[in-house]
Amino acid sequence: MVRKPYVKKGTWTPDEDQKLVAYIMRYGIWNWNEMPRFAGLQRSGKSCRLRWMNYLRPNIRRGNFTREEEETIIRLQKKLGNRWSAIAARLPNRTDNDIKNHWNTRLKKRVILENNNSASATTETHSSNEENSADDADSSSLLNIPTMADFPEPSGCHQTLDVNNNSMRETFVSSENYWEILSFLEQPLIAEGFDCEAVSPNSQLWHSHHEHYYDPVDDFWANPLI
DNA sequence: AAGGATTTCAACCGCGTATTG
DNA sequence: CCAATACGCGGTTGAAATCCT
C-alpha cells in the first residue's frame, strides 16, 4: 500500500518562502512538480509555481494601482475580456492574479456604476455604429501602449547556474528578501567556487539572456521573464 | 469595546493546452 | 498518432483585515 506524500496547503510561511526562493535562485526553475521535494517543501508543484509567480518573483508591483493602470485594465478588459494573463502582459510587473483581484473587487463595480450613470445621462438611441467606433478608438489607443523598451530594466535580478542542463537561467528574488537570501546563498556558492559577480545583473551574460520578444498573436512586445 | 457585515487578496481547483516519449 | 505528464489560465473560495453599527 502506497501512501501519498503529505502536501501542505494554505498560507505560505516566511520559512517556506525562503526555501523556495533560495532553491530557485540556486538551481533555477526546471520542473515544478519535482522541485518542492528537492527544495525541502511539502507543497505541490502547482502551489510553488503560484507562490513564485504571484508573490516571490522579483520586481512585482503589488497594491496601489495607479489611475493610469486602472484605466488600462478597464480598457483592455473591455477589449479582451477576462484574459488576465494577456492584460497582465501589458502592465509591467503586475501579476494576472493581482489584476484579476483588483478588477473583481473594485474596477468591475466602478465600471458598472459608470455605465449606469452614463446610461441614465444619455438617451437610449445608441446605434451599433457608435459602439463600433468606440471599439475602434480602443484599438487605436492600444497601438500607443508602451513597449517593454520604454520601461527601465528590472533591478535586483540574479542569475544562477542550472545544474541540470548546464545552461544559465534567469531566476529572481523579491527585493524584500533579496539581501537576506543573497547572504544565505553566497556562503555555499563561494565555498564551491561559484562567482556571484560573474552573473550579476550588470554582467554581459545577464544582458545577453535578457531579451524581449514579439508576440505576433497578441500583437505586442513582451518580456519572457515577466 | 464588541461583534456582525463587508472587503480584500492569497491560494486552491478544475480544465484546456502544450510537450514529451 | 496517442497517452501521460507538465504547465498555465481563469473562476472561485475562505481566512484575515477592515469597516460599520
Side-chain angles (χ1 to χ4, degrees):
Chain A
M1 179 170 162
V2 180
R3 180 177 292 190
K4 279 187 179 179
Y6 169 73
V7 178
K8 191 184 171 194
K9 292 184 181 181
T11 310
W12 279 64
T13 65
D15 182 55
E16 288 177 308
D17 283 346
Q18 184 168 347
K19 279 182 180 172
L20 181 59
V21 171
Y23 185 85
I24 290 176
M25 277 190 69
R26 195 159 181 208
Y27 298 113
I29 297 163
W30 51 282
N31 181 319
W32 284 116
N33 283 333
E34 295 295 326
M35 265 169 52
R37 195 157 53 88
F38 288 96
L41 291 163
Q42 292 181 310
R43 292 276 182 174
S44 69
K46 216 169 179 177
S47 179
C48 291
R49 181 188 160 274
L50 199 75
R51 184 65 179 166
W52 172 255
M53 292 298 189
N54 290 333
Y55 198 85
L56 299 175
R57 210 162 38 118
N59 307 309
I60 290 175
R61 291 172 64 190
R62 308 177 53 72
N64 297 327
F65 280 76
T66 65
R67 191 74 194 180
E68 288 75 25
E69 284 178 317
E70 290 185 332
E71 293 306 325
T72 303
I73 293 168
I74 290 168
R75 185 161 42 79
L76 291 173
Q77 200 280 337
K78 186 180 174 186
K79 183 179 174 62
L80 303 172
N82 296 353
R83 292 177 57 203
W84 305 117
S85 61
I87 293 172
R90 290 157 169 79
L91 285 166
N93 305 333
R94 291 291 187 184
T95 70
D96 52 357
N97 206 39
D98 217 16
I99 291 169
K100 179 173 62 181
N101 281 334
H102 195 63
W103 168 264
N104 286 332
T105 56
R106 298 170 205 203
L107 300 183
K108 190 158 74 177
K109 292 173 196 164
R110 188 200 295 174
V111 168
I112 290 169
L113 210 68
E114 284 174 359
N115 285 346
N116 287 344
N117 288 344
S118 63
S120 60
T122 58
T123 63
E124 304 242 340
T125 55
H126 271 107
S127 71
S128 60
N129 285 342
E130 283 169 336
E131 294 277 347
N132 289 339
S133 62
D135 283 348
D136 288 347
D138 280 337
S139 303
S140 59
S141 65
L142 269 178
L143 297 175
N144 293 326
I145 290 172
T147 67
M148 288 306 299
D150 294 325
F151 296 92
E153 291 286 317
S155 60
C157 298
H158 196 74
Q159 192 170 42
T160 58
L161 186 65
D162 184 335
V163 296
N164 291 284
N165 60 11
N166 285 335
S167 68
M168 297 308 296
R169 261 179 195 277
E170 291 78 12
T171 54
F172 304 92
V173 60
S174 70
S175 55
E176 291 169 8
N177 300 328
Y178 181 77
W179 294 111
E180 184 184 339
I181 291 166
L182 187 66
S183 61
F184 170 81
L185 277 169
E186 270 181 347
Q187 284 185 332
L189 291 176
I190 289 166
E192 291 164 21
F194 189 89
D195 183 1
C196 294
E197 286 300 314
V199 290
S200 71
N202 294 327
S203 73
Q204 185 77 32
L205 195 53
W206 191 88
H207 281 291
S208 70
H209 285 265
H210 186 225
E211 293 169 349
H212 305 129
Y213 70 92
Y214 183 68
D215 180 345
V217 177
D218 279 348
D219 188 33
F220 74 104
W221 287 91
N223 184 336
L225 306 177
I226 291 178

